[in-house]
Amino acid sequence: MTVNLFSDTQTRPPEGMRRAMYEAEVGDEQRFADPTVNALQERVAQLLGTEAALFLPSGTMCNAIAFRLHIRPGGDEVLLDRTAHPRVAEAGGPGSISGAQLTLLDGDGGIFTPDQLRAAIHPAGDRYGPRTRLVSVEQTTNMGGGRIWPLQTVRGVVSVAREHGLRAHLDGARLLNAVVATGVPASEWAAGFDTAWIDFTKGLGAPVGACLAASRELIEEAWRYKQMWGGAMRQAGIVAAAGLYALDHHVERLAEDHANARALADGLAEIPGVRLDASRVESNIVIFEVDDAMALTGALYEAGVEVTPLGPQRIRMVTHLDVDRAGCERAVAVVREALAA
Ligand SMILES: *Cc1c(COP(=O)(O)O)cnc(C)c1O
């Protein structure tokens, strides 16, 4: 059996989730006639403490639409970490479809400070620089190694944004991992942000979908872009049901993924040739360095362990619903053998 640590997107919907999809009541979501989509949107709005929410096909579309909602034509800029998903993994969408110039901050593990944000903001009235319009925070950080922004840092960033009249966006692809790891409710993490979203296809284990939450006014406007960009669906309740099932059954269990990632990190850190500070592993993502990441990735693949090489020396492993402790132990053993060979 393969141990798939490539990503938490690799899960297959379990039987109970498939049954919920089979049994879902559906209708035309574009006419607000899909009760399952409506229920999911209400659930997410409540979870994140906003007036409304919008079901979308992907987290990428949540980021794209949210950026477009905040960015005005004419040189507006978004401040975000160098490793943030919209910059590294959305095919240039922020520039080409949302109209945003991205200005990168050098955070630590994807986390920048309120002072770093303040120092990067172009002053109002400066007609030479781009107009700073939006700050985007990624909780947990993906390419930063699954790190969790401290609540105080998030609050500080939001408060600097407010001081300078910026909008604030929370990329919460793995927000619920942070919720489970810290005990801080999702609505507290999302407080003060203009837009926030969660993904159902990461640790939550659903096959499709994400949900963007915001004020009623912004969500109404978001609907325009959902329609314009081809994200408006019909009997989408069949996939929204998977999201509802995930919120009912797959949130608390994220703690297991975190414990497995910790065990993985502790095991890897002891292997000669692996460079990893296991104390920096806070959720379900483990990023470490070796001399030759491509060679190790290939050797692991041959032995039935799938991982992601992030660069010439960096490898990412992600735990999820379909990987258990034994799988993590096997991955550690295989890495040890491969590096010894
Ligand atoms: C996966 C991910 C996205 C994009 O979500 P998709 O549903 O895969 O489109 C955005 N941001 C972060 C931090 C992610 O990990």
Side-chain angles (χ1 to χ4, degrees):
M1 253 248 319
T2 303
V3 181
N4 192 337
L5 296 164
F6 178 82
S7 174
D8 46 8
T9 55
Q10 303 298 292
T11 53
R12 309 262 160 83
E15 195 185 330
M17 180 179 276
R18 288 176 191 248
R19 188 170 298 118
M21 297 171 79
Y22 177 82
E23 288 169 356
E25 265 188 74
V26 298
D28 185 348
E29 68 148 27
Q30 296 183 23
R31 299 175 61 217
F32 309 105
D34 190 306
T36 311
V37 170
N38 293 343
L40 181 63
Q41 291 174 163
E42 277 163 33
R43 179 91 177 261
V44 170
Q46 198 165 33
L47 185 68
L48 297 183
T50 62
E51 288 174 347
L54 180 61
F55 186 49
L56 290 168
S58 69
T60 299
M61 196 178 277
C62 290
N63 277 338
I65 289 180
F67 279 21
R68 185 64 192 82
L69 291 176
H70 302 309
I71 294 299
R72 303 154 300 186
D76 273 4
E77 98 185 311
V78 180
L79 299 178
L80 76 181
D81 187 79
R82 178 172 298 284
T83 63
H85 197 277
R87 191 248 171 165
V88 300
E90 296 181 12
S96 69
I97 60 175
S98 303
Q101 167 169 327
L102 301 184
T103 296
L104 308 176
L105 303 180
D106 284 308
D108 174 23
I111 300 170
F112 50 83
T113 64
D115 284 341
Q116 278 178 296
L117 171 62
R118 189 182 286 108
I121 295 171
H122 284 97
D126 166 15
R127 68 190 154 78
Y128 293 94
R131 287 189 301 190
T132 311
R133 172 64 164 173
L134 176 67
V135 58
S136 184
V137 164
E138 187 173 298
Q139 179 77 306
T140 67
T141 69
N142 178 347
M143 295 304 170
R147 305 219 68 206
I148 298 173
W149 287 68
L151 188 56
Q152 205 158 337
T153 310
V154 171
R155 294 218 164 124
V157 160
V158 167
S159 119
V160 170
R162 286 289 158 262
E163 256 170 61
H164 291 83
L166 310 186
R167 299 273 184 98
H169 173 68
L170 179 62
D171 174 338
R174 295 185 183 80
L175 180 63
L176 295 177
N177 290 82
V179 167
V180 168
T182 60
V184 175
S187 58
E188 278 197 43
W189 287 116
F193 286 91
D194 298 284
T195 43
W197 63 272
I198 57 168
D199 210 329
F200 302 113
T201 65
K202 299 288 166 74
L204 293 186
V208 181
C211 210
L212 177 68
S215 66
R216 206 161 274 124
E217 195 185 342
L218 283 178
I219 290 300
E220 234 165 76
E221 191 63 13
W223 256 110
R224 287 194 63 77
Y225 292 105
K226 172 165 159 145
Q227 209 80 47
M228 187 188 295
W229 293 346
M233 297 175 276
R234 296 295 183 186
Q235 289 72 29
I238 205 151
V239 277
L244 282 168
Y245 180 92
L247 289 174
D248 284 334
H249 298 95
H250 292 169
V251 176
E252 276 82 39
R253 65 150 306 286
L254 291 170
E256 289 171 41
D257 297 345
H258 300 169
N260 285 339
R262 168 49 57 111
L264 194 55
D266 287 342
L268 291 169
E270 286 178 6
I271 299 175
V274 169
R275 294 185 290 279
L276 167 64
D277 179 354
S279 72
R280 284 172 65 91
V281 172
E282 297 178 313
S283 60
N284 70 329
I285 298 176
V286 180
I287 294 178
F288 60 94
E289 291 191 357
V290 290
D291 285 342
D292 188 343
M294 290 315 292
L296 181 59
T297 299
L300 296 182
Y301 189 82
E302 293 299 312
V305 176
E306 290 188 37
V307 303
T308 313
L310 296 182
Q313 301 198 312
R314 299 177 85 219
I315 288 181
R316 188 187 70 168
M317 294 182 175
V318 187
T319 56
H320 52 77
L321 197 57
D322 291 354
V323 176
D324 59 11
R325 183 61 64 93
C328 293
E329 283 163 4
R330 196 164 131 234
V332 170
V334 169
V335 169
R336 185 185 295 280
E337 273 168 42
L339 287 179

